[in-house]
Amino acid sequence: MSHPPDHGVSRRSFLKGSAVAGIATTGITAATKAAAGPPTPDSFGPGEHEITLSVNGAKQRVKVETRTTLLDALRDRMDMTGAKKICDRGACGGCTVLVDDMPTNSCLTLAMDAVGTEVRTVEGLSNGDKTHPLVKNFVTCDALQCGFCTPGMVMSSLACLEKHDKPTPEQMRQDLSGNLCRCGTYGRVMEAIDKTANGGGK
Amino acid sequence: MTTPNPNKPRAVEISVGYKALSPKQKDRIEKIEVNPAEGDAPPWDALTEYKTVGTDVDRTDGIQKATGRAKYAYDINFPDLQQAMILRAPIARGTLKSLFLDEARAMPGITAVVALKKNGNKIRLVGDAVAAVSGKTLDLVRDAIEKIRADYETEQHNVDYLMDEDAPMIDAKGQLDEEWDEDSEVDMALTDATHTHTGTYRTEVQTHSSLETHGNTCRWDGDNLEIWASTQATFGIQGELARGLGAHNINVESVDVHAEFVGGGFGSKFSAGIEGLACALLAHEAKKPVKLMLDRHEEHTAAGNRPSALMQVRGGIDKDGKITAWDWRSFGGCGYNGRGGAVRYPNYYMNGAATRRKHKDIACDTDPARSMRAPGYPQGWFGAEMFLDELAAKASMDPLAFRLKNDSEAMRHDQWQFAADKFGWDKARAKKNDPNERYVTGVGCASARWGQLGRHGGRRQRYGMTCRIHPDGMVEARNGSQDIGTGLKTVLQILTAEELGIPASRVRAITGHTADPLGPASGGSTTTPSIAPAVRHAAFLAKNELIALVADHLGVPKKNVTCANGKVGTKDASLDFTEACKLVGQTPIEVHGERFPNYRDKPFHPGVCGVQFAEVRVDTWTGEVQVTRMFGIQDCGLVIAKKLAESQVIGAMIQGVSYAIHEQRIMDQRSGRMLNGDFLRYKITGSKDLPDIECHMHSVANGHNNTGAAGLGEPPSTATAAAIGNAVFHAIGAPVRHIPITPEKVLAAIASK
């Protein structure tokens, strides 16, 4: 069994797979990086390989199969259950994490494709007593009910705020359009984004 | 205070009703006499001044949810946790002939394989559970599932209830094409009516689409099962699992259920289901903890739904616009068990009219119905409220004026007028669309109704609450029911804080573990109204114990001591609440509160009322409908957590938008499968479909128990689709009588004008 280097994995075998459309954004980013790295074997698997993922600024070694998604790696192998598995098909945004600042469906991203990238999850927005203003504003605006879509909403909202200083309602709707909520919190999520953009929650 | 006589409940006079909604209206407050149970907390009423109740307290578990720290059933991990999946039948109707599990069992990483059907068992739908597998990872489990061989004998199936031989005929215009049975009273009323009308209305199957799928994590310790379940009935599934496992000859000493966080339910999660039983069986066989969560396709196809409905109404009004005849027949499009399709309609409009109501459920080979947020209401309200607008149009009456003429619930009259002003009804209704414009707008309205004031307990035991006052000043409120996103924990926190006169942040509310006192399932919008009086009773008892300690400490009579505004004592000498709590000593004060039955006296209002207004913009070229604006007013008895209550009402309206214009289960008659069993093709309302929504909570003192909370989750979902349907009718001048109101139906309606 071959062992992939930490900083890059051959893309060829994966990009031919059926999940290509959904991972296009991250796939290309990671592929570009991989191309710049040292020579890599042509294929991996079956079985598990140890890789290193950089999540919320910390490097973590984790064993995954080539088919293991980033979402499963985070949830099942690293016990980071903030990102949620809701549709597992890139339709709901519940698993949204930022991969190199880009909001990404972690259910459509292979864990190995995230090697060499910087992954940010909802867990990274709170640390002990420190909590990101956006997260606080989600609570004060009651931008959540059952809370199951919330971590994904928070990450898409964060990406929206990183993209726009003062997002307009149209920009918010656009950036939240990949996230589904069954309880109906969209309006209050937009309030939380707006409040954060205006300095609330600090 | 007089000495209570245990044989005779003391009568107390309280004020019930509500303050005026607008300066144009009057307060509606009246006195009634009630008989609280001995030892219960004294009733709050319409004149009570609250410190915390009804304010914008933050959701107490919001921070756990928003940081990702909240652990749902889906998130429970153990070092040796096994993942699991269910093999589901690919045929809609038939018999399982043979099932070979050995090859799956021998696959790498597999720890348990159980059969959920025996040879000869019936298959009732595509997606019927056949076997379940657990293993080290979900990928390995999927590999093993593929190795199971199951053979079936297929039978002819039907997945369209309208194709059933019991189904009525529908003509080319979509009207139900069957003779009405004779009914002398209704027939005479129709003959005498000034205007009559007949309309056929249809709704489609809606899936609950809770974002956390059904499922659980199970762990055995000897004969004791511990389960983390995505459930709306922690106590309900205890017995269900014990019985189910017993039928598999597994000895069960206890079932300990956790559901501290639940990712939605909307009525679909009362039962542990086959996924609960399968998970417990796998964990038993694997001798390791097992997690079994349904995937999204299973959730859409085998976890319940709101059944479809076909309704026909004929009615008549007199020259004053009063409804005199109302003849209703409806059919529910159900799953294989042929149950759960009953439809209700707003009967407060036809008081005094000759009425008849008939209903029939029709079965087909699909997933059975489960209760969904006001079961039977949004369907029936859509049919009835649209019919009202069509009837009003025949009499050239404004739909709101028509409703005011016929609505027999006085409270809603205030709501109609208040909401119409807020929404700008008169102006919006008077606006004429230019026939040459591509985009047209319209407005519509509909009423909401629900009838839950809470229950006092199950068959054997009353609901209860534990309240603890810790020596460090922290107060704990515990009940074993689940908070499925409705805000139950925050309700516990607010009520306890109010009773003790402390800020909400001093109270820790804990729900969702069956080790705590009995509470109801989250159904019928009864959780808050059922538990709230017990919360108060527990806090009241705890307060009295603290008062006794402080009275002792200060050397004053107990009756002179109050616990309010963060202080415990008399007006001359008092302690800060935290100081007072130090008198508790090492062991916290712990009391058990009880849910007494509702006062027998007639409440101010037997249920809850609401109204909703909607504005739509229709693209007459494409037929696309956009809901642009909504206003809702909703009563829920005492409004406890205002911000959360508003969230729930707004959320119900968004779900209603979804029901009215987006959602539809599409079945393939040939294969018996659901064609859109995922979130890509089963569309629910998203951020870009979001109307501008405003809601107003109407706090009403009903005087039915010490707190007076009433149901909230379901009532606002009754009205929305109907209000939108009416707005589309207004916009395009022709009714679309079949939801979802898709572009093709809109274009057909425009063409039919």
Side-chain angles (χ1 to χ4, degrees), chain A residues 48 65 67-68 75-77 79 81-82 84-87 89 91-92 122-123 126 131 135 138-142 144-151 154 173-174 176-177 180-184 186-188 190, chain B residues 58-59 62-63 65-67 69 71-72 74-75 77 83 136-139 143 206-209 211-212 262-264 266 296 372 484-485 643-644 646-647 651 654-655 663 679-680 684-688 690:
Chain A
E48 293 186 337
E65 286 187 71
R67 59 182 169 177
T68 307
R75 288 179 53 82
D76 299 344
R77 295 166 189 239
D79 198 25
T81 56
K84 298 288 185 263
K85 188 185 276 189
I86 296 174
C87 75
R89 292 292 185 277
C92 74
V122 72
E123 285 90 349
S126 61
T131 304
V135 172
F138 259 70
V139 179
T140 54
C141 297
D142 204 37
L144 45 89
Q145 289 180 48
C146 84
F148 210 69
C149 75
T150 309
V154 168
R173 281 171 192 260
Q174 172 64 31
L176 295 175
S177 62
L180 294 178
C181 170
R182 189 51 157 170
C183 302
Y186 304 110
R188 290 188 158 183
M190 286 163 66
Chain B
D58 290 344
R59 193 176 293 265
I63 195 71
K65 291 173 175 176
T67 53
R69 287 201 298 268
K71 293 287 181 189
Y72 297 76
Y74 218 140
D75 301 330
N77 277 337
Q83 306 283 345
K136 193 176 164 221
T137 69
L138 216 43
D139 289 323
D143 292 345
Q206 178 185 32
T207 65
H208 297 74
S209 298
L211 289 198
E212 183 181 29
V262 180
F266 308 107
R296 184 52 51 189
M372 180 168 180
I484 61 170
K643 191 154 56 175
L644 278 59
E646 287 167 356
S647 287
I654 292 175
Q655 238 176 52
E663 292 182 47
F679 274 146
L680 288 166
I684 68 169
T685 291
S687 61
K688 289 192 169 180
L690 183 71

Side-chain angles (χ1 to χ4, degrees), chain B residues 365-387:
Chain B
D365 300 312
T366 59
D367 190 23
R370 294 188 193 177
S371 57
M372 180 168 180
R373 209 168 186 175
Y377 279 64
Q379 299 98 302
W381 259 245
F382 172 73
E385 293 269 6
M386 266 207 86
F387 180 79

Side-chain angles (χ1 to χ4, degrees), chain B residues 538-549:
Chain B
F540 174 72
L541 295 177
K543 180 173 81 174
N544 288 346
E545 291 208 12
L546 187 64
I547 282 175
L549 289 175

Side-chain angles (χ1 to χ4, degrees), chain A residues 142 144-145 182-185 188, chain B residues 59 266 373 483-488 491 522 525 527-528 612 634 636 641-655 695 697 710-717 720:
Chain A
D142 204 37
L144 45 89
Q145 289 180 48
R182 189 51 157 170
C183 302
T185 59
R188 290 188 158 183
Chain B
R59 193 176 293 265
F266 308 107
R373 209 168 186 175
D483 182 341
I484 61 170
T486 52
L488 181 66
V491 163
S522 298
S525 300
T527 323
T528 294
Q612 287 178 25
Q634 186 62 54
C636 63
K642 181 161 163 281
K643 191 154 56 175
L644 278 59
E646 287 167 356
S647 287
Q648 210 175 10
V649 173
I650 291 169
M653 287 157 84
I654 292 175
Q655 238 176 52
C695 83
M697 296 309 302
L712 178 61
E714 284 157 301
S717 57
T720 314

Side-chain angles (χ1 to χ4, degrees), chain B residues 479-499:
Chain B
N479 176 276
S481 274
Q482 55 294 314
D483 182 341
I484 61 170
T486 52
L488 181 66
K489 284 185 203 125
T490 314
V491 163
L492 262 52
Q493 187 193 33
I494 291 175
L495 294 174
T496 304
E498 184 74 43
E499 185 64 31

Side-chain angles (χ1 to χ4, degrees), chain B residues 326-465:
Chain B
W326 184 269
D327 203 2
W328 172 281
R329 53 183 177 181
S330 53
F331 301 85
C334 304
Y336 68 72
N337 64 6
R339 288 203 298 268
V343 174
R344 304 191 180 279
Y345 62 75
N347 57 4
Y348 36 81
Y349 286 123
M350 46 297 279
N351 261 15
T355 58
R356 176 166 60 165
R357 175 174 182 257
K358 275 186 143 185
H359 178 83
K360 187 157 86 175
D361 275 349
I362 300 171
C364 64
D365 300 312
T366 59
D367 190 23
R370 294 188 193 177
S371 57
M372 180 168 180
R373 209 168 186 175
Y377 279 64
Q379 299 98 302
W381 259 245
F382 172 73
E385 293 269 6
M386 266 207 86
F387 180 79
L388 291 184
D389 270 35
E390 291 185 41
L391 203 48
K394 281 217 162 162
S396 304
M397 280 181 81
D398 173 82
L400 178 60
F402 183 62
R403 281 173 174 75
L404 288 169
K405 172 124 327 217
N406 286 288
D407 191 344
S408 60
E409 293 194 302
M411 186 152 96
R412 202 181 292 100
H413 279 245
D414 285 346
Q415 296 181 338
W416 282 124
Q417 281 156 356
F418 171 75
D421 276 358
K422 280 280 216 185
F423 183 76
W425 170 263
D426 289 343
K427 199 174 154 211
R429 190 75 197 179
K431 185 179 162 257
K432 292 270 178 286
N433 286 307
D434 179 345
N436 300 317
E437 279 293 316
R438 173 174 173 180
Y439 296 100
V440 294
T441 61
V443 290
C445 61
S447 64
R449 180 74 164 92
W450 193 249
Q452 274 300 342
L453 300 177
R455 289 185 292 260
H456 56 274
R459 249 169 286 168
R460 284 181 299 248
Q461 200 186 342
R462 283 186 187 169
Y463 300 140
M465 271 297 301

Side-chain angles (χ1 to χ4, degrees), chain B residues 139 186 278 301 318 329 445 497 518 623 658:
Chain B
D139 289 323
V186 172
T301 52
D318 65 16
R329 53 183 177 181
C445 61
L518 182 71
S658 216

